[in-house]
Amino acid sequence: MPLDSRPLCSDSPLLSIRHLTARFDAGSPVLSEVSLDIPAGQRVALVGESGSGKTITALSILRLLDMVQYDAGAVYFEGIDLLSASEQALRSVRGRSIGMIFQEPMTALNPLKTIGAQIAEVIVQHEGLSKSAVQARVIELLGQVQLPEPEWRARSFPHQLSGGQRQRAMIAMAIACRPKLLIADEPTTALDVTLQGQIMDLLTSLQQQFGMALLLITHDLNLVRRHADWVAVMQQGRIVEQGDVARIFAHPEHPYTRTLLAAVPQPEPLPMIDSTATPVLAAEQLCVRFGLGSGKKRRWWQKQPDFLALDSVALTLSPGETLGVIGESGSGKSTLALALLRLIRSEGRVLLDGRAVQDLSERQFRPFRRHIQIVFQDPFGALSPRMTIGDIIGEGLRVHEPRLDAEARQDRIRAVMRDVGLIESGTHRYPHEFSGGQRQRVAIARALILRPRILILDEPTSALDATVQKQILDLLRQLQRDYGLSYLFITHDLRVVRAMAHRVMVLYQGRVVETSETGDIFTSPQHPYTQTLVTTI
């Protein structure tokens, strides 16, 4: 279908982007001839890989990018060109007629102000209500976005809320003035699968309740299929295809659209694992408590009792096996990883190759560390910004193989960079010079250089778009075949775990509620919580 086959103004769309072309300063265009209509009350999705121009398009609607130069085009909202509108006119539109949910709520929210104060600021700015009326509206909004105990949450600071709660607070702020258009930029990124469904169901419900139009920016095609009416596909700053969601998913015409749809993780036949071999990793009655512990006097501000984050967890991991660990945020997945690595205090037993290591001193345990490595959830946060990629990857060698000379160490660094698909000449560059997918490859290379037997992968693809996610999963499969690795694969993406894992362990509130072969988990789940998870696919 031609890009502009839908009537442009016959029904007077609420928002109409026409031939928008933009660049950063004097650089090459980041948007080229972008045209998109959003009718009143409709849900439109904008999809594409990282760097395709999705967020820049959204921010351009409200002219939130000072460093962008617009060479051509217009953005019409109710007949007014926002690109040429005065700053005063824009202030009356931002937050009032057009609301926006930003990608990372922890960054978008002011850490020094309570949630209620930040929502009230929007209401006072645009509606000028009395103090009591504003307070009542804030409580009402927090109730509408289904935050429990809204009066108490209004007095909370962003760091005191969970990821899903912060996202709900952002939604409350965005809808505070009943906008006609709501822009949601990756509203479910890094949320677990149950929270993703809850947030999108909430957005859809609010959109229908208030009659808003919704522009959903995402790389999750499953969300698009479920929650959008119309979809536009972006590649390298251009919209290459757009149309009705059902038609695009059933009969994509552009090669890039077909590539995106093909990038959805698919189950692949996995080699059989000898379950009779001695497990390379095991845990017995593993418990983790957070708090002061018994026998210590609590201060007046420490009102919460000890929290049992892991409760009697048991697991085994065979040579060459991938054990998927799934569960919602707060279920104990990352805590389990840290406990197995002895990075936090725990009770119970951890066994490596059948040997109990729980009671070893740190000095005694150090030789074992090279055999069990971790790839953290956020590669940008896990990589030192002051070290080059070469130094980051080779750091473990200085600790565990100090006798290697400089030339041998560089040979190992270059070899592992080749293995993970990184350019060897990039050793002198810094993490900020790499894309998200490349940084994830750096994190994997850092873990692999010590030639471990076990890799703990903590949400390794959670913030990656579909095409990069597929590349990383293909890489992990290849590395497992080449190195004979065992994976403990922690994720909230059920499609990924179904494609990668031999067995799946389900965590709920710190307990293992079900462990079974991957096929059995997805075809005949036994526990009610697992059944709820599986329905979200």
Side-chain angles (χ1 to χ4, degrees):
M1 180 182 291
L3 293 184
D4 291 328
S5 61
R6 188 169 54 170
L8 296 184
C9 297
S10 60
D11 295 325
S12 299
L14 179 67
L15 181 87
S16 183
I17 302 173
R18 310 305 329 142
H19 309 292
L20 188 62
T21 300
R23 69 181 69 242
F24 285 115
D25 297 326
S28 57
V30 291
L31 298 178
S32 300
E33 292 287 327
V34 172
S35 294
L36 179 67
D37 289 343
I38 303 178
Q42 294 296 301
R43 297 189 296 270
V44 176
L46 193 57
V47 303
E49 61 190 10
S50 298
S52 61
K54 306 187 300 295
T55 296
I56 293 174
T57 300
L59 296 176
S60 295
I61 293 172
L62 291 171
R63 249 171 58 196
L64 294 176
L65 294 169
D66 293 335
M67 70 290 293
V68 169
Q69 174 183 331
Y70 297 100
D71 297 333
V75 177
Y76 294 106
F77 180 74
E78 295 188 317
I80 300 172
D81 184 5
L82 298 181
L83 288 189
S84 59
S86 66
E87 191 63 32
Q88 182 178 357
L90 278 175
R91 281 198 297 269
S92 68
V93 171
R94 294 169 179 158
R96 184 172 190 174
S97 298
I98 302 178
M100 185 158 186
I101 303 166
F102 293 94
Q103 183 169 354
E104 176 45 63
M106 192 59 181
T107 303
L109 294 171
N110 188 332
L112 302 180
K113 289 186 176 182
T114 64
I115 294 299
Q118 295 184 63
I119 298 173
E121 194 172 15
V122 178
I123 300 170
V124 170
Q125 174 72 27
H126 292 291
E127 299 187 6
L129 300 179
S130 66
K131 183 176 181 180
S132 59
V134 169
Q135 289 176 341
R137 173 72 78 80
V138 169
I139 301 303
E140 179 190 2
L141 286 165
L142 292 177
Q144 286 178 332
V145 298
Q146 300 166 19
L147 263 178
E149 302 176 296
E151 295 86 354
W152 184 78
R153 299 297 176 190
R155 298 191 295 271
S156 301
F157 290 89
H159 73 274
Q160 295 175 301
L161 303 183
S162 68
Q165 290 171 335
R166 285 194 292 266
Q167 196 64 281
R168 291 174 189 272
M170 279 287 299
I171 295 171
M173 192 182 307
I175 67 168
C177 296
R178 307 287 198 274
K180 297 178 181 179
L181 171 64
L182 182 61
I183 302 172
D185 186 5
E186 299 281 6
T188 61
T189 295
L191 296 181
D192 62 63
V193 66
T194 50
L195 279 178
Q196 285 181 0
Q198 292 171 15
I199 293 298
M200 285 309 304
D201 288 344
L202 172 63
L203 282 176
T204 302
S205 173
L206 292 170
Q207 179 262 334
Q208 293 172 345
Q209 179 182 347
F210 299 134
M212 298 183 295
L214 175 65
L215 176 60
L216 173 63
I217 298 168
T218 183
H219 62 251
D220 191 327
L221 299 178
N222 194 45
L223 293 183
V224 174
R225 189 195 299 267
R226 291 186 177 206
H227 296 281
D229 306 310
W230 188 270
V231 59
V233 182
M234 289 199 77
Q235 182 188 29
Q236 297 179 351
R238 294 178 179 272
I239 293 182
V240 297
E241 185 171 4
Q242 61 177 297
D244 178 82
V245 167
R247 186 197 66 79
I248 292 290
F249 275 77
H251 305 290
E253 296 179 2
H254 194 275
Y256 178 68
T257 309
R258 293 196 289 267
T259 299
L260 276 183
L261 294 175
V264 176
Q266 300 294 329
E268 296 186 11
L270 295 167
M272 297 295 293
I273 296 300
D274 182 7
S275 58
T276 63
T278 301
V280 292
L281 175 66
E284 300 172 356
Q285 298 294 309
L286 196 63
C287 297
V288 174
R289 301 174 190 274
F290 293 122
L292 290 175
S294 59
K296 294 187 178 180
K297 184 179 179 181
R298 299 183 186 279
R299 303 296 188 263
W300 63 268
W301 66 86
Q302 294 169 323
K303 299 178 181 178
Q304 295 297 323
D306 288 355
F307 172 62
L308 191 59
L310 286 183
D311 187 0
S312 303
V313 169
L315 65 84
T316 59
L317 181 66
S318 299
E321 182 185 25
T322 299
L323 175 63
V325 180
I326 62 175
E328 61 190 15
S329 296
S331 62
K333 303 188 301 295
S334 295
T335 301
L336 173 63
L338 297 176
L340 292 172
L341 289 161
R342 291 196 7 161
L343 295 178
I344 57 174
R345 188 182 300 275
S346 63
E347 305 166 15
R349 295 216 307 166
V350 176
L351 299 95
L352 292 176
D353 286 324
R355 177 174 177 182
V357 297
Q358 193 67 19
D359 296 327
L360 298 180
S361 67
E362 182 56 36
R363 183 176 179 181
Q364 291 171 321
F365 183 67
R366 180 173 294 179
F368 291 90
R369 284 201 182 278
R370 67 177 302 155
H371 300 301
I372 177 170
Q373 294 289 302
I374 185 169
V375 177
F376 290 100
Q377 181 171 353
D378 176 16
F380 193 68
L383 304 177
S384 172
R386 294 180 174 85
M387 295 174 66
T388 65
I389 294 304
D391 289 339
I392 289 171
I393 294 173
E395 186 177 19
L397 293 177
R398 297 181 181 274
V399 176
H400 293 280
E401 299 187 33
R403 292 186 176 84
L404 280 181
D405 59 34
E407 184 177 352
R409 189 160 50 246
Q410 287 302 314
D411 287 343
R412 288 274 292 274
I413 292 170
R414 285 191 290 266
V416 77
M417 289 181 73
R418 284 195 301 270
D419 286 345
V420 301
L422 289 171
I423 300 174
E424 301 167 45
S425 59
T427 55
H428 64 285
R429 296 168 64 191
Y430 290 85
H432 72 272
E433 299 178 79
F434 290 79
S435 69
Q438 290 171 325
R439 285 196 291 265
Q440 197 62 283
R441 291 173 187 267
V442 171
I444 294 170
R446 177 175 62 179
L448 282 181
I449 198 164
L450 293 175
R451 297 168 182 166
R453 300 187 61 191
I454 305 159
L455 266 191
I456 298 177
L457 302 159
D458 189 4
E459 302 280 11
T461 62
S462 64
L464 302 179
D465 58 62
T467 51
V468 177
Q469 182 187 78
K470 185 176 187 301
Q471 294 168 12
I472 294 297
L473 294 181
D474 289 342
L475 170 65
L476 290 173
R477 288 191 187 97
Q478 185 61 48
L479 292 173
Q480 189 171 41
R481 287 191 291 265
D482 293 347
Y483 285 83
L485 294 166
S486 299
Y487 289 153
L488 189 71
F489 202 108
I490 297 169
T491 183
H492 64 249
D493 192 326
L494 301 186
R495 296 181 298 274
V496 168
V497 81
R498 183 169 60 178
M500 292 290 295
H502 297 89
R503 288 186 302 127
V504 177
M505 184 174 81
V506 185
L507 273 176
Y508 179 61
Q509 296 183 348
R511 286 180 170 271
V512 178
V513 296
E514 189 168 355
T515 302
S516 187
E517 301 293 324
T518 301
D520 294 337
I521 286 286
F522 286 94
T523 57
S524 55
Q526 301 300 306
H527 193 274
Y529 176 68
T530 312
Q531 294 167 1
T532 301
L533 281 181
V534 170
T535 60
T536 61
I537 298 182

